[in-house]
Amino acid sequence: MQDFAYLFPDSVAAWLEGRGDTRFQRYEKHYRADRATAQTNEAFDLERSNVRFAQQFGSGRRQFAAVSKSKAFGALATFLILLWGGTALLSSVGATQPVAVAAVLGVVFVALRVKHFRARGQKR
């Protein structure tokens, strides 16, 4: 088996060099702000600063979990899955029965236009 570790940069080294993401810049900004505040009030405590940084920014996984539970993400995911499935089904059925597919698409288009027209009429 080949070792491909040389292809992936070390995550700690990448973080310290600020390559590829904004974690280092965010931490540096937080660190400098804490340090400037501490110089005027009391001695700077790096450990407390790091704890505050962890509490303030947390992990990206929690943010992704919150986004993935939102209604907008669910609607977008459903739309994309239906779009993908519909195009796959449409291309396979359209090759064998093009007239039926054209009729279904025409009915769907007309139904969407009627729905839009009725919704616009109710707003007035």
Side-chain angles (χ1 to χ4, degrees):
M1 182 168 20
Q2 291 182 335
D3 183 15
F4 292 106
Y6 69 93
L7 295 176
F8 302 100
D10 182 32
S11 63
V12 174
W15 186 78
L16 288 174
E17 293 174 7
R19 285 186 281 138
D21 59 21
T22 60
R23 291 178 296 168
F24 179 76
Q25 288 85 3
R26 189 183 320 155
Y27 177 77
E28 187 70 20
K29 186 176 180 182
H30 171 81
Y31 170 77
R32 289 184 189 276
D34 266 8
R35 184 124 176 142
T37 304
Q39 285 179 357
T40 58
N41 298 343
E42 75 268 353
F44 177 69
D45 186 7
L46 180 62
E47 188 173 342
R48 269 193 286 158
S49 175
N50 288 341
V51 168
R52 278 196 302 271
F53 177 78
Q55 289 172 345
Q56 185 177 4
F57 293 104
S59 71
R61 291 180 182 162
R62 281 187 256 155
Q63 293 170 349
F64 177 73
V67 168
S68 66
K69 290 180 183 177
S70 69
K71 286 184 179 181
F73 182 81
L76 179 65
T78 303
F79 171 75
L80 291 175
I81 289 169
L82 290 175
L83 181 68
W84 173 76
T87 55
L89 180 67
L90 197 62
S91 64
S92 64
V93 173
T96 59
Q97 298 174 346
V99 176
V101 170
V104 169
L105 287 175
V107 168
V108 168
F109 178 74
V110 169
L112 288 173
R113 294 307 301 162
V114 167
K115 180 182 175 185
H116 176 71
F117 181 73
R118 286 184 181 169
R120 206 165 111 189
Q122 290 177 354
K123 284 185 179 179
R124 291 181 185 182

